[in-house]
Amino acid sequence: MRLNNLGIVHTKIDRPDPADVDHLAKFGVATIHEAMGRVGLMRPYIRPVWKGAKLCGPAVTVLLQPGDNWMFHVAAEQVQEGDVIVAGCTTESEDGFFGDLLATSLMSRGCKGLVIDGGVRDVEDLEAMGFPVFSRAINAKGTVKATLGSVNIPVVAANALVNPGDVVVADVDGVVVVPRELVGAVADAAQKREDNEAAKRDQFRDGVLGLDIYKMREPLAAAGLEYVED
Ligand SMILES: O=C([O-])CC(=O)C(=O)O
Ligand SMILES: [Mg+2]
């Protein structure tokens, strides 16, 4: 009888339609999060390790054990072109699980980046390679290869549940997780939101006030806001 979910690799995962992933990739994390109804974000302590890093792709998930990066090598074999890796850990850990060697291996498999609720190192090289990484820490502390975790099971990373095949989008504003079956609908909703924002941006540029665009004068007065001249 299996007592835990460690030591498992799911080799078949469902991925969303690549056209929907491409559409979603056009939008920023803030827009996607709003379009979903203000949900789906990882905790904001996950930050890009180099300026300008961005990623969007279906997740191959990894559950790590603290101080151990064995499962990244197992995960590399499961990566398909366009995937990203999302790594959680069985407990909080800021060890440097990942660096340029693993990035080189993942890139050769078509991987588009990493989100990890842990630490990474070799950041100068990751930037030079153009491999986008989002992590909770930059840490030179090395790890071993000795303890089983799992690949392609549901993982929690920075308070977000990520199922294999969910699409993860990350940019300087944060990391958002879009459930696989919602990717097309969320991309459409994000497009609508962006069109709407474009119209508002034009008005703001022309000097129109939010007070008038959003018709806020009446509700502000009803709430008791007073303008005092003296
Ligand atoms: O080798 C490791 O264990 C992690 C690392 O620094 C790399 O991937 O370059
Ligand atoms: Mg290294």
Side-chain angles (χ1 to χ4, degrees):
M1 191 208 300
R2 189 174 276 289
L3 298 180
N4 57 42
N5 60 0
L6 298 171
I8 300 166
V9 182
H10 287 281
T11 58
K12 284 208 173 97
I13 65 171
D14 292 327
R15 290 171 174 80
D17 183 339
D20 290 339
V21 179
D22 286 349
H23 190 195
L24 194 68
K26 294 197 174 119
F27 307 106
V29 167
T31 298
I32 293 168
H33 153 74
E34 290 279 357
M36 286 172 69
R38 295 201 305 281
V39 296
L41 289 177
M42 287 191 187
R43 291 283 311 284
Y45 61 73
I46 303 288
R47 301 298 303 150
V49 303
W50 50 268
K51 195 168 154 50
K54 278 179 197 203
L55 60 77
C56 173
V60 165
T61 62
V62 180
L63 181 63
L64 299 163
Q65 294 272 24
D68 197 303
N69 72 353
W70 217 8
M71 288 303 112
F72 274 123
H73 294 279
V74 176
E77 190 178 29
Q78 303 305 319
V79 167
Q80 293 184 8
E81 177 70 37
D83 287 347
V84 301
I85 299 251
V86 176
C89 191
T90 54
T91 187
E92 285 187 83
S93 175
E94 294 181 337
D95 296 328
F97 292 94
F98 184 94
D100 76 296
L101 281 180
L102 276 164
T104 302
S105 172
L106 290 180
M107 275 179 104
S108 79
R109 314 286 298 185
C111 183
K112 298 300 182 208
L114 168 72
V115 176
I116 177 170
D117 196 358
V120 301
R121 58 190 191 173
D122 307 331
V123 165
E124 212 171 73
D125 297 320
L126 295 175
E127 178 167 12
M129 294 162 72
F131 187 79
V133 173
F134 293 74
S135 73
R136 71 182 288 156
I138 294 171
N139 191 350
K141 175 76 181 163
T143 55
V144 299
K145 301 170 195 355
T147 328
L148 291 182
S150 288
V151 174
N152 282 334
I153 64 166
V155 298
V156 172
N159 287 26
L161 174 65
V162 187
N163 285 293
D166 287 350
V167 172
V168 174
V169 187
D171 64 24
V172 69
D173 287 338
V175 185
V176 67
V177 182
V178 181
R180 179 180 54 82
E181 58 290 353
L182 296 181
V183 174
V186 170
D188 289 344
Q191 182 73 62
K192 279 206 188 88
R193 201 181 157 82
E194 193 127 301
D195 294 346
N196 182 271
E197 284 203 352
K200 283 191 202 131
R201 196 168 293 109
D202 286 346
Q203 287 180 288
F204 280 127
R205 198 174 288 121
D206 290 344
V208 183
L209 293 171
L211 288 172
D212 296 314
I213 296 173
Y214 301 115
K215 302 195 183 345
M216 292 188 290
R217 292 185 190 278
E218 225 177 274
L220 284 167
L225 184 70
E226 284 182 48
Y227 291 84
V228 180
E229 274 188 25
D230 49 318

